[in-house]
Amino acid sequence: NAKIKLGLALHALGRSEQAVEQYQHALRISPDDPDALTLVGVVMNEQENFAEAVEYFQKALQINPGEAKTHVSLAIALAAQGDAGAAVRHYAHALEIDPNFSLALNRLARIRATHPEAKLRDGAQAVELAQRCCQLTGYQVATALDTLAAAYAETGQFENAIKWQTQAVELAQDHQKAGMTARLALYSEGKPFRYAD
């Protein structure tokens, strides 16, 4: 679809408003195009219009329920709205479709390791998911190592948590360092990390 291709090109240039115009044009021609629906939702996520994004992703999944990326995008929007339970279901669904989807592995592991609500935490599953993510990314991605450390902290394995968090801090970009260093201090005190909703 030429409109979608043009929209993707505009989006890559940071011209998201014009990208959405192209995707909307594609939807006027073909209202049930799951790719166009998902792409509009992705821009909505970036603009933090999460409620609107959810509607686009849900419609796209009604048409094409087997698209892992759409499940992950929907999960991100749901988590941003405070519905981590629904986000967990969609991350899990994405991983049923694509077990090696590193973003889904990392984000699901993070909820399982750090969510303030105990019923949403599962330290053992968090460690398993985070290890898979780190293997897929060659233990070279700071955010994945940060999640692995949090998972180990959730299961009380603070030596492992400190080891991986130290590596995460070394690989971190400048804007990530403060948060990751604070988590390292937490694990050194034998405390797990909880993110506040």
Side-chain angles (χ1 to χ4, degrees):
N1 185 317
K3 295 289 177 192
I4 289 179
K5 282 182 183 159
L6 179 55
L8 286 166
L10 288 163
H11 194 186
L13 293 169
R15 290 157 66 182
S16 54
E17 296 294 337
Q18 289 159 296
V20 167
E21 284 171 20
Q22 296 303 318
Y23 303 147
Q24 297 283 20
H25 196 90
L27 288 169
R28 281 196 290 280
I29 299 161
S30 175
D32 290 337
D33 183 328
D35 294 334
L37 288 164
T38 296
L39 289 165
V40 173
V42 167
V43 176
M44 297 293 163
N45 264 1
E46 288 171 7
Q47 295 172 342
E48 300 187 0
N49 294 331
F50 299 115
E52 213 172 330
V54 165
E55 289 177 21
Y56 279 97
F57 295 136
Q58 286 175 334
K59 191 170 177 191
L61 287 170
Q62 282 168 0
I63 300 156
N64 182 13
E67 185 55 66
K69 283 182 183 164
T70 308
H71 280 285
V72 169
S73 295
L74 175 54
I76 289 167
L78 289 164
Q81 289 184 294
D83 193 350
V88 162
R89 290 193 293 278
H90 283 283
Y91 285 132
H93 208 86
L95 290 169
E96 283 168 22
I97 298 163
D98 179 1
N100 293 329
F101 197 150
S102 58
L103 182 62
L105 287 166
N106 187 57
R107 288 193 174 244
L108 181 53
R110 199 150 191 89
I111 292 173
R112 290 302 199 203
T114 68
H115 200 276
E117 285 182 50
K119 66 175 190 208
L120 287 170
R121 291 199 306 273
D122 181 336
Q125 188 192 36
V127 169
E128 182 195 331
L129 293 164
Q131 281 176 334
R132 264 170 54 206
C133 182
C134 287
Q135 283 161 2
L136 287 165
T137 53
Y139 293 86
Q140 292 302 307
V141 176
T143 49
L145 295 173
D146 185 47
T147 300
L148 180 59
Y152 277 125
E154 172 59 19
T155 57
Q157 300 179 63
F158 289 103
E159 277 185 31
N160 278 332
I162 290 164
K163 170 187 161 185
W164 293 113
Q165 193 65 26
T166 302
Q167 288 202 26
V169 171
E170 284 171 14
L171 288 169
Q173 295 172 8
D174 288 345
H175 70 277
Q176 299 170 320
K177 278 202 193 303
M180 291 189 184
T181 304
R183 286 190 279 285
L184 179 57
L186 208 58
Y187 306 149
S188 301
E189 293 169 16
K191 294 175 184 169
F193 171 66
R194 297 281 170 264
Y195 74 80
D197 265 350

